[in-house]
Structure formats: C-alpha cells, structure tokens
C-alpha cells in the first residue's frame, strides 16, 4: 500500500463509519493522554481487527486543537503520509454515532466513564498498564502484560496473525516503541517483547534500508542500526521541543485524570467521598516549568479549577547536563482537603519505589520571603510540595497506582 492510499483508506473508512451511523462497528481507543503509543496502537489494532473480525475504526482521543501539543505525533503521522490528522482520522470532536456500542481498548484497560453507557461492551483489550481485571468475559483478545510500549504487544499480535502489515503501520508502531523505550536503550524500559517487535517491524517499515536488513540477519543489536538511531533521535528531539508551550499547554499536553474514593474514616463528614486527581507528565525540569509563563502558579491554579481537581501531580522527566535521565514530582492539593494532604505526604515520602527527596521551592526561582511557608508556594488555598524522584525509571504508570493505594487505602 503506498502512502497516499493508506491515508485515503483511512479517510474513506471514516466516511463509511459515519454513513453507517456506527452500526456494527467497533471503536478502537487509546488512552486519554494521547501519546504516540496510544495513537499507533489504536491505528494498528483497528487495521488488524478490520481485516480479521469485522468493521473497526481507530478513535483518536486527542482534541483537534491539541494536536499541535505533540510534535512527535505529528512527525510520525507525516512520515506515513497523514498530513491533516483530524481530517484523515476519526478524532475527538467528531460525532460518536448513536449506534456505537462495541469498544476495543488499547494502551489502557478500563473504558473511560464518558463512553460507558449501559449498552457499551468492551470486546478487546491490549495494554501494558496495571491490570484492573475487567472485561474477562467479553474481551477477546484480552492481553494485559508488561512491555515498554503497548505498540510492541500490537506488533506481536500482527506477527501471530500472518497478515501482511502495511509499511505505514510498521513505521508508526516502531516509532512508538522507540520513543517509549528511548531507542530500546539497554537498562531502560525495553523488555524482550519490545526488542522482538522492533526486530519484526524494522524490515517492514519505511525506515528499512538494505544495510539494516542485512545487519539484522547477522544479529547486530537493532538499537545500533543507523536508521533506528536517527528515527529515535528525531522523535525524542520533537518530544522535548516544548519550550514554546505555555504552563497550561504543558499541563494538558500529556495528562490523565483519575477518580478516587476516599474512605469515610479520613473525611470530616464521616462518609466516603469521590475526588478527582490529575497527573501531568512534563518533559522539562521544574525550574523550567516555572518559567513557562508570566504567572505559572496562576495558570496551574486555573487548571486545577477548570478540571475540578482535589490533587494535581506534575511529573517531570528531563536530562541533566551530563545527559542522564532525571525526574521530579510536584504535588498541589486543595487546602480544604487537609486530611488528604497528610495522607498523601506520608504515603509518598515513605514510598520505597519512588524514593522521593523533598526540595524547597526557592530552588525553582520562588522568592522565599514572599512565601509564608514553603508549602504555600501556590497561595493559601493550596498545599504544595516538590520532590526529586530518585528512582528515575518510575513513570506515571507506576505513580498512578501508588497514588490510588495511598488515597483509597485505610489510614
Ligand atoms: Mn503506552
């Protein structure tokens, strides 16, 4: 399939889907953070499913105006001839036809409450997050296992199907694997399924060159192939080129939201209560995050209000001057939820996986004289703490379940 026919295949598929009013179709969805892994996994599995078990279409959860926030996604899509994603792809903002009731989940394993109607059925799950154990009776396949990238699990499924994977999809899945595993770096997040998936995809992708394919057959490490290295470097550079984004854009660019049930014993009213928490992953160190707008604290407070959050976590990932990966965490809690704050600080600071070390806000350019206490860096209505995360390998995938355990667990 040539590049132009792949994108026109997607466009005509979208038209068919809308003309059918979704009847008989399965919507394949990635997670709400909308990273390249979700995008590639959804397009990959939708293509596979539509060639094996009936009509399926990828639904891209990224709102139209947010496409610009992820330069690496735009770059990878452009590589495969998709130049106007919100026209060619079925996206957030397009109508959800009334007849849709079947969902396939990739890169997450619980259907977002927004789509969870009484008739909704989850017919497939392929994911690499913590398994929440749902849809065991309805989902086939139901693959939930550790991997650096969900795209690797989709690629392995392709391999076992004996379908010929289009080069466009090989390129997209490979790009997602490379960005999630930092180019399959040794000692990083890549596990065997990622390396095997990359080895399968490389010869079938756009980036494949003759020397690459022969190198593979001689058992050279795939991370050292020139085309893989250059694709990986370009994607990473795009991903980290966020210096033009405002505080608000940084917060919403790679963002996930959770609801937690706070046990009755923790709460003044002595009844359990639902709270919302948001986790934003930001590819900049905190000192740069706090330099992203004229009033970064105000924009952050506005985001907390807009999303009606009790807790906002900002998880940073960046490289230090020596090129080593580093991470920090910033937590902001509404001051009226004081019992939540105490519980969260205790749980986070004693967590052996994250290994957090407290950092004062003065380090991030705050004027110590203007703050009543360090915790009041975001004003009196909020309680905030910042940390260096000494386990540099723990991402939101580890932090979200830790947060759930701390907040929902008994004190
Ligand atoms: Mn993923």
């Amino acid at each position: 399939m040539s590049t132009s026919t792949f994108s026109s295949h997607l466009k005509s598929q979208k038209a068919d889907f809308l003309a059918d009013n979704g009847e008989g179709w399965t919507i394949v969805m990635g997670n709400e953070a909308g990273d390249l892994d979700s995008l590639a996994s959804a397009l990959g599995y939708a293509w596979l499913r539509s060639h094996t078990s009936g009509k399926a279409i990828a639904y891209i959860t990224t709102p139209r105006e947010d496409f610009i926030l992820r330069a690496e996604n735009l770059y990878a899509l452009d590589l495969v001839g998709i130049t106007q994603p919100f026209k060619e792809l079925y996206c957030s903002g397009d109508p959800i036809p009334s007849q849709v009731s079947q969902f396939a989940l990739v890169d997450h394993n619980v259907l977002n409450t927004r789509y969870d109607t009484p008739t909704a059925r989850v017919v497939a799950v392929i994911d690499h997050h913590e398994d929440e154990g749902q849809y065991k009776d309805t989902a086939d396949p139901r693959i939930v296992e550790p991997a650096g990238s969900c795209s690797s699990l989709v690629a392995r499924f392709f391999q076992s199907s004996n379908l010929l994977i289009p080069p466009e999809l090989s390129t997209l899945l490979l790009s997602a694997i490379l960005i999630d595993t930092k180019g399959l770096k040794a000692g990083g997040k890549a596990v065997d399924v990622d390396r095997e998936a990359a080895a399968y995809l490389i010869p079938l992708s756009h980036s494949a060159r003759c020397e690459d394919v022969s190198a593979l057959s001689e058992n050279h490490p795939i991370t050292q192939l020139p085309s893989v290295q250059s694709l990986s470097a370009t994607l990473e550079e795009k991903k980290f080129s966020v210096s033009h984004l405002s505080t608000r854009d940084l917060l919403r660019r790679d963002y996930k939201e959770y609801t937690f049930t706070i046990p009755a014993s923790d709460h003044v009213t002595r009844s359990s209560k639902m709270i919302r928490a948001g986790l934003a992953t930001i590819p900049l160190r905190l000192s740069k995050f706090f330099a992203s707008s004229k009033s970064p604290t105000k924009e952050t407070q506005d985001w907390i209000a807009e999303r009606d959050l009790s807790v906002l976590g900002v998880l940073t990932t960046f490289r230090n001057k020596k090129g080593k990966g580093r991470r920090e965490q910033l937590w902001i809690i509404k001051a009226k939820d004081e019992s939540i704050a105490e519980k969260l600080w205790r749980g986070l600071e004693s967590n052996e996986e994250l290994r957090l070390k407290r950092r004062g806000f003065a380090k991030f350019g705050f004027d110590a004289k203007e703050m009543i206490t360090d915790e009041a860096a975001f004003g009196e209505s909020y309680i905030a703490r910042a940390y260096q995360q000494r386990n540099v390998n723990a991402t939101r995938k580890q932090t979200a379940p830790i947060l759930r355990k701390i907040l929902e667990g008994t004190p």
Side-chain angles (χ1 to χ4, degrees):
M1 202 182 288
S2 79
T3 291
S4 61
T5 58
F6 182 69
S7 79
S8 59
H9 155 80
L10 292 172
K11 235 192 271 182
S12 69
Q13 193 190 33
K14 178 174 170 179
D16 290 346
F17 168 75
L18 293 172
D20 285 351
N21 200 16
E23 194 167 356
W25 286 73
T26 298
I27 287 189
V28 183
M29 269 200 298
N31 70 50
E32 62 181 324
D35 64 359
L36 190 53
D37 191 28
S38 274
L39 182 71
S41 296
L43 286 169
Y45 183 62
W47 194 93
L48 180 71
R49 192 173 173 95
S50 63
H51 286 79
T52 51
S53 20
K55 296 172 183 173
I57 189 165
Y59 176 61
I60 312 303
T61 49
T62 310
R64 174 185 286 235
E65 65 275 19
D66 289 1
F67 265 99
I68 50 151
L69 301 180
R70 286 193 179 269
E72 70 278 20
N73 288 15
L74 290 176
Y75 177 80
L77 287 171
D78 193 67
L79 274 184
V80 303
I82 299 170
T83 51
Q84 293 177 294
F86 41 81
K87 280 199 183 145
E88 291 148 291
L89 306 176
Y90 175 47
C91 297
S92 166
D94 286 326
I96 297 238
S98 55
Q99 297 301 317
V100 167
S101 60
Q102 299 215 93
F103 294 91
L105 309 182
V106 292
D107 206 20
H108 65 314
N109 62 70
V110 179
L111 183 64
N112 191 307
T113 48
R114 208 174 311 153
Y115 314 104
D116 198 2
T117 61
T119 55
R121 242 163 56 94
V122 172
V123 296
V125 176
I126 303 179
D127 185 30
H128 65 145
H129 291 83
E130 185 169 274
D131 191 352
E132 302 202 28
Q134 297 203 42
Y135 322 119
K136 288 191 171 157
D137 47 343
T138 58
D140 179 26
R142 190 183 184 287
I143 300 165
V144 184
E145 60 176 74
S149 182
C150 182
S151 293
S152 302
L153 301 175
V154 174
R156 190 184 61 190
F157 202 54
F158 251 109
Q159 203 171 4
S160 65
S161 74
N162 290 319
L163 271 175
L164 191 63
I165 183 167
E168 291 81 3
L169 283 179
S170 289
T171 302
L172 282 175
L173 292 168
L174 177 65
S175 299
I177 295 168
L178 292 176
I179 208 154
D180 281 351
T181 63
K182 297 212 163 45
L184 299 162
K185 205 178 68 184
K189 280 194 270 167
V191 295
D192 284 346
V193 63
D194 301 300
R195 289 182 279 269
E196 284 158 18
Y200 160 70
L201 294 169
I202 289 166
L204 304 168
S205 73
H206 283 123
S207 61
R209 295 186 204 128
C210 294
E211 73 264 29
D212 279 1
V213 179
S214 57
L216 267 182
S217 60
E218 289 160 29
N219 276 329
H220 285 276
I222 43 181
T223 48
Q224 288 173 21
L225 299 178
S227 65
V228 174
Q229 283 191 334
S230 78
L231 176 59
S232 191
T234 309
L235 288 166
E236 175 137 335
E237 184 207 308
K238 300 272 174 196
K239 181 177 169 179
F240 283 84
S241 61
V242 294
S243 53
H244 60 296
L245 298 182
S246 67
T247 307
R248 180 186 150 79
D249 283 348
L250 287 169
L251 288 170
R252 67 196 181 98
R253 160 182 186 283
D254 187 349
Y255 176 76
K256 281 190 191 173
E257 216 161 78
Y258 310 83
T259 50
F260 299 123
T261 311
I262 307 296
S265 54
D266 270 18
H267 193 238
V268 283
T269 61
R270 297 279 157 194
S271 62
S272 66
K273 134 177 156 159
M274 299 285 280
I275 64 153
R276 284 151 72 88
L279 289 181
T281 300
I282 294 182
L284 285 178
R285 58 170 82 225
L286 280 176
S287 56
K288 294 237 173 82
F289 169 70
F290 285 122
S292 56
S293 298
K294 271 206 197 99
S295 26
T297 50
K298 170 79 169 57
E299 281 188 39
T300 306
Q301 290 160 357
D302 289 348
W303 180 251
I304 292 171
E306 182 180 334
R307 303 303 311 169
D308 189 23
L309 304 176
S310 294
V311 178
L312 173 66
V314 173
L315 314 178
T316 72
T317 168
F318 59 97
R319 286 176 190 272
N320 68 7
K321 286 191 191 108
K322 288 180 187 156
K324 292 249 187 294
R326 290 286 176 263
R327 288 179 189 270
E328 302 151 316
Q329 298 198 345
L330 162 68
W331 294 90
I332 305 147
I333 305 169
K334 279 208 187 119
K336 67 176 171 58
D337 294 319
E338 207 177 335
S339 64
I340 294 175
E342 282 167 27
K343 200 172 177 177
L344 189 61
W345 303 146
R346 207 172 340 118
L348 286 173
E349 288 168 16
S350 65
N351 188 274
E352 286 172 6
E353 188 174 1
L354 298 172
R355 294 195 283 125
L356 300 178
K357 187 180 174 193
R358 186 88 183 268
R359 283 274 180 258
F361 282 93
K363 205 177 181 318
F364 310 121
F366 281 74
D367 186 345
K369 274 173 274 166
E370 279 176 23
M371 293 185 289
I372 311 159
T373 65
D374 194 65
E375 285 187 333
F378 283 77
E380 283 169 42
S381 313
Y382 300 90
I383 311 168
R385 287 194 185 182
Y387 301 94
Q388 179 198 347
Q389 181 183 309
R390 283 177 291 186
N391 175 3
V392 295
N393 292 317
T395 65
R396 180 170 54 204
K397 203 183 281 111
Q398 284 75 38
T399 302
I402 289 169
L403 181 65
R404 178 180 297 281
K405 267 180 216 126
I406 294 172
L407 293 178
E408 296 195 336
T410 43

